[in-house]
């Protein structure tokens, strides 16, 4: 636990003393991660199993069938 606290403080101190270029870079990284995990997920990776099956058992059986097909 003490190690995690030191790592957390290390990052907090690093973000407090970061320069203008570093802030801009972290903003770009944040925007990029938002696009990757939110925008692309919504438009390009719909939840296939929820749209095709109603119960958890049907979803599980479909996945098992796909994994054990060959």
């Amino acid at each position: 636990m003490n190690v995690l606290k030191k790592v957390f403080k290390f990052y907090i101190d690093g973000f407090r003393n970061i320069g203008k270029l570093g802030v801009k870079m972290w903003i770009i990284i944040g925007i990029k991660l938002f696009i990757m995990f939110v925008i692309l997920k919504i438009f390009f990776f719909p939840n296939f199993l929820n749209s095709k099956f109603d119960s958890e058992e049907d979803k599980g059986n479909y996945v098992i069938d796909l994994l054990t097909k060959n």
Side-chain angles (χ1 to χ4, degrees):
M1 192 68 166
N2 196 13
V3 173
L4 291 175
K5 192 174 182 178
K6 286 181 181 178
V7 170
F8 183 72
K9 281 187 172 184
F10 173 78
Y11 279 100
I12 293 297
D13 288 340
F15 282 118
R16 284 185 184 152
N17 297 322
I18 201 167
K20 287 184 178 183
L21 180 63
V23 171
K24 288 179 185 176
M25 297 299 278
W26 276 108
I27 290 172
I28 291 170
I29 290 169
I31 292 170
K32 186 175 178 180
L33 289 174
F34 176 77
I35 290 170
M36 284 174 41
F37 288 108
V38 176
I39 304 296
L40 292 179
K41 168 76 172 107
I42 291 171
F43 292 110
F44 295 109
F45 303 106
N47 197 339
F48 174 75
L49 292 176
N50 282 343
S51 65
K52 296 288 183 184
F53 303 103
D54 292 330
S55 69
E56 294 294 322
E57 185 179 351
D58 292 339
K59 293 176 191 176
N61 289 335
Y62 178 74
V63 171
I64 288 172
D65 286 343
L66 286 179
L67 292 175
T68 59
K69 206 170 193 175
N70 291 326

